[in-house]
Amino acid sequence: MTLDAKIQQEYKILAEYKMILSENVRGVYVIPSHDNSLHWYGVIFVRNGVYREGIFRFSITLPDTFPADRKTPVITFTSEVYHPFICPENKELDTRDAFPEWNTSCHVWQLLKYLIYILEQPDICLSSPLNDQEESKKCRNVEALQLLEGNRDDFLAKIKVCIQESQEKVYESPSGDDDKHAIIFERWNPAIHDAILEKIKNNTPLDEIHQDDRSANTGIFP
């Protein structure tokens, strides 16, 4: 890729990120890696449905020639999530129902809204026309699909375990990842966070809250 092409790609990736900020993508926070703009960090706070109160970490990998590539960006969970459309081996989300092919009308914010949808409405997985395909048996969780359809109590019990585990691990730093943009949650520290809270209460714009008021990787989410 030429330098000009790389600059254009970076501009388009930034535009995608800004588009997410302008859309109502509730409960999902993403940020491109400091070292590689094709790799994004993400976390979703599930607000409705059977996965409610789950705090699941994931990454988004954009194709090398994004956005020209027809391959759909890949969402890979780092948290354990028991779901019919999430492969238990590689933890990738199967997005083929919504995005059989990526094109210029597709955007990352739409992908994130689909993520919210399938976590809040897992029953939609039962009507997927791809369930009977041999490929789906390799990239989906067949057991989860069967339990969702035939033994809902066991399905919900497995989800409950995932939710509890996600909450217990929320303050753990991503293993082996020292990227400056990796999403890290900190326990409340009055020495750092009380001043920030006070400024928020006083309606201080977030961009006026200086980095000195925060620890290195502390983010402020609206």
Side-chain angles (χ1 to χ4, degrees):
M1 182 180 292
T2 66
L3 178 59
D4 284 347
K6 183 62 178 176
I7 291 173
Q8 289 181 20
Q9 183 187 56
E10 293 290 335
Y11 176 81
K12 290 176 181 177
I13 290 174
L14 179 60
E16 283 286 338
Y17 182 63
K18 287 185 174 180
M19 202 179 298
I20 292 171
L21 300 179
S22 67
E23 294 293 331
N24 182 28
V25 186
R26 52 193 171 79
V28 181
Y29 303 98
V30 295
I31 185 169
S33 162
H34 177 273
D35 301 328
N36 179 5
S37 61
L38 295 175
H39 180 80
W40 293 23
Y41 297 98
V43 61
I44 178 170
F45 294 79
V46 187
R47 297 180 176 178
N48 296 295
V50 295
Y51 292 89
R52 184 174 178 267
E53 298 185 354
I55 307 170
F56 303 123
R57 293 179 180 274
F58 62 91
S59 65
I60 303 175
T61 304
L62 307 181
D64 289 341
T65 58
F66 181 87
D69 202 308
R70 292 185 178 273
K71 294 179 181 177
T72 302
V74 177
I75 292 179
T76 305
F77 282 87
T78 51
S79 301
E80 293 293 336
V81 187
Y82 190 79
H83 188 281
F85 280 7
I86 299 175
C87 177
E89 279 75 38
N90 60 23
K91 298 185 180 181
E92 290 183 5
L93 173 65
D94 185 357
T95 59
R96 291 175 299 153
D97 278 0
F99 302 95
E101 186 176 86
W102 196 261
N103 56 53
T104 54
S105 68
C106 299
H107 298 285
V108 175
W109 69 265
Q110 296 169 323
L111 188 65
L112 294 176
K113 284 205 169 184
Y114 178 69
L115 169 61
I116 296 170
Y117 180 63
I118 60 101
L119 287 175
E120 293 187 349
Q121 306 287 341
D123 286 331
I124 196 67
C125 301
L126 297 173
S127 59
S128 169
L130 304 180
N131 283 337
D132 294 330
Q133 292 186 3
E134 193 63 31
E135 183 180 353
S136 295
K137 297 178 182 178
K138 300 176 183 178
C139 59
R140 295 183 175 182
N141 191 327
V142 177
E143 179 192 87
L145 185 66
Q146 293 173 342
L147 287 183
L148 175 61
E149 184 174 26
N151 192 335
R152 196 172 185 84
D153 287 343
D154 282 359
F155 178 73
L156 295 177
K158 288 181 178 291
I159 290 175
K160 185 177 180 180
V161 171
C162 291
I163 293 172
Q164 290 176 337
E165 182 179 284
S166 74
Q167 294 171 346
E168 291 168 358
K169 293 183 175 181
V170 69
Y171 294 114
E172 292 184 5
S173 299
S175 178
D177 196 334
D178 57 357
D179 191 285
K180 293 180 180 180
H181 289 176
I183 299 176
I184 296 174
F185 296 101
E186 299 177 344
R187 296 184 185 279
W188 187 266
N189 183 340
I192 297 173
H193 302 123
D194 279 357
I196 298 175
L197 178 61
E198 200 59 36
K199 290 182 178 181
I200 292 174
K201 286 181 177 178
N202 293 329
N203 295 319
T204 302
L206 296 183
D207 57 3
E208 292 182 15
I209 298 178
H210 300 295
Q211 183 63 40
D212 291 344
D213 292 332
R214 320 177 203 170
S215 58
N217 281 19
T218 299
I220 302 176
F221 301 118

